[in-house]
Amino acid sequence: QKSIFYCIDHSGDLKWKYWDDDTDYEMYRAPLVTSDNKIIFATRSHLYSMNDDGSVNWKIITGPTPSELNIGLDGTIYFCDEAGTFYAVKSDGSIKWTKQSDDLFFAYSSGGISISPDGSIIYVLGQRNFPQIYALNDNGDVLWYYHDTTTIGSIGQRRGTAIPIVDNDGNVCIVEMKNVTVDASIISQVLEYAFWAETNPDSIKTLWLECENKPDELTISWDDFQVRIIVIAPSILRSTLDVVDKINYPVDLIEVKR
């Protein structure tokens, strides 16, 4: 059975389709389109760059089941494989660097990779059975990491994930995504992540000061550091609202039906 990559134009007509008989071709991740109209997608064993006419620009062998992809401002493609290796691939298909932590990086479909607004810091999850998050620079060096060994259950699990997000104001947002109905107990879980972010402003400040090309008009008050919580789930029980009203963090509850 072949897996086929389809390109459909804006009017719904088939533009082209592509398959590779030499590749284990199951695809689990959404493709990305670069600023120069290259289409990037991953299979269980390869990473592809396609031209907009359906021809292959390049393909490289990767570890099994790459994670969700993300692209930096310089065109570098970031992803993890199932073995816990973090990849940075240049826009020409050459490997910029690979990285493994002692506890490995998280590669499953619920895991997310986020990039700071100036492109200099990459945030990725760990895959041990307690919450972990890493911050790396664009050379692959670990700037800091957070491990909470007192809590059972990783930040990113197959049934849901917390994704690190940095907004244009430099705020760290804790985004908790679930594939199941959530109730008020979700708030105590995300509060643990928020407490860490709030009580470690020096780590965030150091990273910000090391960033290049910071917006001149943006001013951050480190004495009044803001953390925001975002919970995304297909259904959120109303009882959750009662708990949200009792905490001091801004919380967004978003229902997304699939």
Side-chain angles (χ1 to χ4, degrees), residues 179-242:
N179 294 328
V180 297
T181 298
V182 301
D183 56 23
S185 63
I186 192 66
I187 300 303
S188 61
Q189 179 180 337
V190 295
L191 277 176
E192 295 177 7
Y193 311 145
F195 290 158
W196 174 85
E198 186 179 53
T199 55
N200 288 273
D202 289 343
S203 297
I204 308 300
K205 181 179 180 180
T206 299
L207 296 177
W208 176 256
L209 294 177
E210 291 176 351
C211 290
E212 300 178 358
N213 303 319
K214 293 187 289 293
D216 295 333
E217 69 278 8
L218 181 60
T219 301
I220 299 176
S221 174
W222 298 107
D223 294 328
D224 187 24
F225 191 74
Q226 183 69 62
V227 174
R228 189 173 198 89
I229 296 172
I230 302 172
V231 177
I232 303 174
S235 180
I236 301 174
L237 297 185
R238 191 168 185 82
S239 60
T240 310
L241 294 174
D242 297 332

Side-chain angles (χ1 to χ4, degrees), residues 112-155:
I113 296 170
S114 297
I115 302 174
S116 64
D118 67 354
S120 65
I121 304 171
I122 302 97
Y123 300 91
V124 62
L125 304 177
Q127 65 175 358
R128 286 289 292 274
N129 61 349
F130 48 81
Q132 295 176 296
I133 184 172
Y134 291 83
L136 296 85
N137 63 21
D138 54 8
N139 291 319
D141 302 317
V142 175
L143 301 174
W144 56 261
Y145 62 91
Y146 166 63
H147 292 188
D148 182 4
T149 57
T150 66
T151 302
I152 302 300
S154 61
I155 291 180

